[in-house]
Amino acid sequence: MRWDGISEFVYVAEHESFTRAAKELGISTAQVSRQISALEKRLNIKLLYRTTRQVSLTEEGRVFYQHCRGVLDGLDAAEQAVSNLQSKPQGRIKLTAPVTYGEQQLLPLVNDFMVQYRDIEVTAFLSNQKIDLIDGGYDLAIRIGKLSDSTMMAKKLSRRTNFVCAAPAYLEKYGIPHSLSDLSQHNCLLGTRDYWHFIEDGKIDSGKNADKEKNLRVSGSVQYNSGHSLVDAALKGLGIVQLPDYYVQKYLASGELVSLLNNYREPEESIWAIYPHNHHLSPKIRLLVDYLAEHLV
């Protein structure tokens, strides 16, 4: 009887919703509510604040949640360890990732992974929108940059760097920008945003502003939601572009593009694999995450 209501409470705490918790557990919302009410009565403690729009933890609820989460994780790990002693990775993995990064970097590695593990199937949905993993039934998401969702577990896979660059022909005609203010005199090739990221004042290794990031609004004659098209425009001398390394590395190496404003380059962005906090990683998911961490550069 001491276990009654524990799973329901943990799922409601993580989803901040009785309805979503019930969906995840495969039971009715009414049953979830009854179990948690009985748990609060048994403990003689109010664990949740309930309103028509929101569910949140009380101070006692936060303490109780931390302990209960650890207990459930331990139980999941024990069951998984026993059930998978003799099993091999198999079944379907559903994942999501940003479009270009997924096409160029991720899915070719996923294909290599599937060559090794023939009993694994993969469904991938590439989107630049942040998709709700739980509502969409996803096992895994690949995210780039800062993470904001504390309900998810995360593993760092790799890093990327944004480069500002232009073709030699453009620079010969219009000159080389040496400071951020110089960009106002240049044609900046835009993606989906009208600003670029930099380190303010170029103080990368000195002073108290060393880690201060700056979003600089820029403008130009081109705005595409395609990195490949922006690279093509830059190669043809139409202007200056800021793009992640996987778009421009080979052109920087060949000299077809020249890296600019290197002292102002923003810090590397982390690339993460995230998955729901309340999901113990199955062998197939753990294998894929470890494989990506090993092979992504």
Side-chain angles (χ1 to χ4, degrees):
M1 190 171 172
R2 295 181 67 188
W3 285 96
D4 290 349
I6 298 297
S7 294
E8 291 83 353
F9 165 68
V10 168
Y11 277 52
V12 169
E14 291 175 348
H15 293 286
E16 297 181 343
S17 166
F18 280 78
T19 302
R20 293 177 67 184
K23 180 180 177 181
E24 187 72 15
L25 288 165
I27 59 179
S28 69
T29 303
Q31 185 176 350
V32 171
S33 181
R34 283 195 299 270
Q35 289 282 55
I36 293 178
S37 294
L39 176 63
E40 289 179 317
K41 184 177 180 180
R42 190 166 76 248
L43 296 173
N44 195 28
I45 293 173
K46 186 175 181 64
L47 298 171
L48 298 167
Y49 294 119
R50 304 169 176 84
T51 69
T52 55
R53 293 186 177 182
Q54 188 176 8
V55 178
S56 59
L57 289 168
T58 65
E59 184 177 353
E60 294 83 359
R62 283 194 294 272
V63 173
F64 193 62
Y65 165 77
Q66 294 297 330
H67 288 278
C68 290
R69 178 71 268 172
V71 170
L72 290 184
D73 284 344
L75 181 60
D76 285 345
E79 291 178 351
Q80 199 74 52
V82 172
S83 64
N84 290 292
L85 279 174
Q86 303 299 324
S87 66
K88 62 180 179 178
Q90 58 184 314
R92 182 167 296 277
I93 298 172
K94 187 176 181 182
L95 63 86
T96 181
V99 176
T100 301
Y101 189 80
E103 289 177 341
Q104 292 194 3
Q105 305 292 313
L106 182 72
L107 293 186
L109 287 177
V110 170
N111 293 336
D112 292 340
F113 176 79
M114 293 176 67
V115 169
Q116 293 188 29
Y117 300 98
R118 294 289 187 172
D119 292 325
I120 288 180
E121 302 173 352
V122 175
T123 296
F125 179 70
L126 301 183
S127 172
N128 293 329
Q129 303 297 317
K130 287 190 176 180
I131 295 173
D132 189 302
L133 271 66
I134 294 172
D135 283 350
Y138 287 90
D139 300 298
L140 193 64
I142 306 303
R143 298 271 167 85
I144 300 175
K146 296 178 181 178
L147 299 179
S148 58
D149 195 337
S150 60
T151 65
M152 297 291 163
M153 297 295 288
K155 178 180 175 64
K156 187 175 179 179
L157 300 178
S158 186
R159 296 172 296 179
R160 77 169 189 182
T161 302
N162 283 324
F163 285 88
V164 174
C165 48
Y170 175 88
L171 298 175
E172 289 173 9
K173 186 173 183 179
Y174 297 102
I176 298 174
H178 296 288
S179 68
L180 299 189
S181 60
D182 290 345
L183 288 175
S184 63
Q185 306 301 316
H186 286 271
N187 193 43
C188 297
L189 310 175
L190 300 177
T192 55
R193 300 175 298 197
D194 61 354
Y195 59 88
W196 289 352
H197 299 290
F198 295 99
I199 293 292
E200 191 168 23
D201 298 327
K203 296 179 180 178
I204 295 178
D205 296 315
S206 62
K208 61 183 179 181
N209 292 326
D211 295 324
K212 190 172 182 181
E213 297 178 35
K214 179 182 181 68
N215 291 333
L216 180 69
R217 196 171 297 277
V218 294
S219 61
S221 61
V222 162
Q223 185 163 20
Y224 299 149
N225 68 341
S226 164
H228 294 295
S229 299
L230 289 171
V231 170
D232 184 70
L235 289 168
K236 292 174 179 175
L238 292 181
I240 300 174
V241 72
Q242 185 183 63
L243 283 170
D245 45 18
Y246 47 83
Y247 282 107
V248 299
Q249 276 176 330
K250 66 179 180 180
Y251 302 115
L252 292 173
S254 68
E256 294 173 86
L257 292 176
V258 177
S259 181
L260 307 169
L261 300 170
N262 293 328
N263 287 339
Y264 298 86
R265 188 181 302 152
E266 65 174 336
E268 293 177 325
E269 292 183 305
S270 296
I271 298 169
W272 306 89
I274 68 168
Y275 50 92
H277 190 290
N278 58 327
H279 285 187
H280 180 74
L281 278 187
S282 65
K284 64 177 184 276
I285 304 297
R286 185 175 298 282
L287 270 174
L288 176 57
V289 169
D290 290 344
Y291 185 88
L292 294 175
E294 180 181 355
H295 290 87
L296 281 171
V297 295

